[in-house]
Amino acid sequence: MSGKKWTRLASALLIVLIAMSVVGGPRISAADPYPLSITDDMGRKVVIDKKPQRFVSLAPSWTEILYSLGLEDQVVGVTTFCDYPAEAAKKAKVGGFSDPNMELIVSLAPDVVFGTTMHMKVAQEFEKRGIRFVCQNASSVEGVMEDIRMAARVAGVQGEADKVIAQIQKTMDQVTKAVAKLPEGKRLKVLYLVWDEPIMSIGPKTLLNDMISRAGGVSITQDASSDYPSYSLEAIVAKNPDVIMAPRVHGGGGLDPVTIKAKPGWQAISAVKKGNVVLVDDNLVSRPGPRVGEGVLEIARALYPDLFR
């Protein structure tokens, strides 16, 4: 081949390479991060050998996280409680929150199963089958953000986590700015009522305790020694909360403010006397997922509606 022909051929190849890079053709990729090692919320070291392609979620919070990261096409199974976003309800169901169907999950051939502390008893069964299990146990808003980052690392979409967290932070900043207007010592005392018979509330190491604090409230049960302590009515009367807050459960079955106000002995509580018994969206305040900022905003609006008008 003559020198001129070589020159023309080299030029043509250069043009093709430039065109491929412009229109989305093969590019030089960043270093492959796999195998990678993460530490989940239970302190377990989980090694992901190669980029996973198929995920099963055993909790609504994980389903929301995976969808927020743009991984919906890779979610092959969810629970019957995974109802957000609405498209998640169309995915294959692998059981309830507390009773996942192991055989069905295995048949879906997931690379990674995302679960919670409730699923630790079956974590080893997944690992025996070569399926990685990642556990969530977030007890703060910051912990939820870390879980979003963790899922993004597992899936190899770290950039998407930054976008999700930025949106959470934007909502959190809105709440922080509003409650900063509260006078010193004027934060409302809150009883978060998980259930009324027996009276069950939340402990200091729960996500809800952190959310109430960030929303400008003070949980009267933050001195508890467990995550879901029980109390006598006399103990609650003595703590005398300004507000009683309970979850508004989708589909019914939750607590009713009218019923709570009418319960014998409860009229001695300031919150009941003043009519400050409120419900908040259970899906927003109980799911450690990408809507956690909206959950804090929901609580803040319930406590201080005037700050958000």
Side-chain angles (χ1 to χ4, degrees):
M1 187 177 291
S2 68
K4 288 184 178 179
K5 287 182 178 178
W6 273 114
T7 300
R8 287 201 298 272
L9 177 58
S11 298
L13 288 172
L14 178 61
I15 291 172
V16 169
L17 289 172
I18 292 174
M20 289 174 67
S21 67
V22 170
V23 302
R27 302 183 181 188
I28 298 174
S29 61
D32 186 348
Y34 302 95
L36 68 81
S37 176
I38 63 158
T39 302
D40 70 9
D41 287 353
M42 294 304 289
R44 301 167 58 252
K45 182 179 178 181
V46 181
V47 177
I48 311 294
D49 298 319
K50 60 183 180 180
K51 185 170 184 176
Q53 301 298 322
R54 298 170 68 85
F55 305 114
V56 163
S57 165
L58 299 183
S61 55
W62 273 129
T63 299
E64 292 194 23
I65 289 173
L66 294 173
Y67 270 73
S68 73
L69 295 173
L71 298 168
E72 59 271 18
D73 291 341
Q74 293 171 247
V75 176
V76 296
V78 300
T79 74
T80 54
F81 292 94
C82 295
D83 57 3
Y84 191 90
E87 294 77 15
K90 300 176 184 176
K91 295 289 184 178
K93 301 297 185 293
V94 297
F97 187 52
S98 61
D99 57 347
N101 185 318
M102 176 65 75
E103 291 183 1
L104 181 55
I105 293 171
V106 172
S107 73
L108 294 172
D111 300 304
V112 179
V113 171
F114 290 94
T116 71
T117 54
M118 185 177 293
H119 308 113
M120 286 302 297
K121 58 186 178 184
V122 293
Q124 287 187 342
E125 295 302 317
F126 291 124
E127 299 288 353
K128 287 178 182 176
R129 292 168 169 79
I131 301 170
R132 298 295 179 255
F133 177 81
V134 177
C135 185
Q136 181 185 42
N137 189 32
S139 59
S140 66
V141 173
E142 185 57 41
V144 175
M145 293 181 184
E146 287 301 317
D147 285 343
I148 293 170
R149 293 190 184 97
M150 178 168 62
R153 280 195 68 207
V154 169
V157 292
Q158 290 92 323
E160 297 302 316
D162 294 339
K163 298 175 189 175
V164 177
I165 290 170
Q167 185 58 48
I168 294 173
Q169 193 59 59
K170 182 179 179 181
T171 306
M172 294 300 303
D173 290 345
Q174 178 189 353
V175 175
T176 301
K177 183 179 179 181
V179 300
K181 300 173 185 175
L182 294 171
E184 191 70 25
K186 294 296 183 180
R187 295 191 170 216
L188 296 174
K189 296 187 298 179
V190 181
L191 167 64
Y192 190 87
L193 201 57
V194 176
W195 197 244
D196 59 340
E197 291 185 5
I199 298 173
M200 182 181 292
S201 188
I202 55 170
K205 296 181 180 179
T206 59
L207 174 60
L208 261 166
N209 184 77
D210 186 46
M211 294 171 76
I212 290 171
S213 176
R214 289 173 180 266
V218 179
S219 171
I220 64 166
T221 57
Q222 62 180 349
D223 57 349
S225 57
S226 64
D227 287 347
Y228 298 100
S230 296
Y231 292 89
S232 66
L233 176 59
E234 290 74 19
I236 296 301
V237 170
K239 288 177 176 291
N240 202 27
D242 301 305
V243 178
I244 295 176
M245 186 174 288
R248 181 174 58 252
V249 179
H250 292 248
L255 297 172
D256 173 30
V258 175
T259 302
I260 293 172
K261 293 174 185 175
K263 291 171 71 69
W266 286 59
Q267 290 74 23
I269 303 171
S270 289
V272 176
K273 289 179 183 174
K274 298 175 182 176
N276 293 336
V277 181
V278 298
L279 300 182
V280 289
D281 190 324
D282 182 49
N283 284 356
L284 290 181
V285 304
S286 67
R287 295 183 179 184
R291 293 192 290 167
V292 68
E294 295 177 52
V296 175
L297 179 58
E298 169 91 350
I299 294 172
R301 280 176 168 158
L303 294 177
Y304 309 105
D306 291 343
L307 293 180
F308 296 92
R309 287 175 179 156

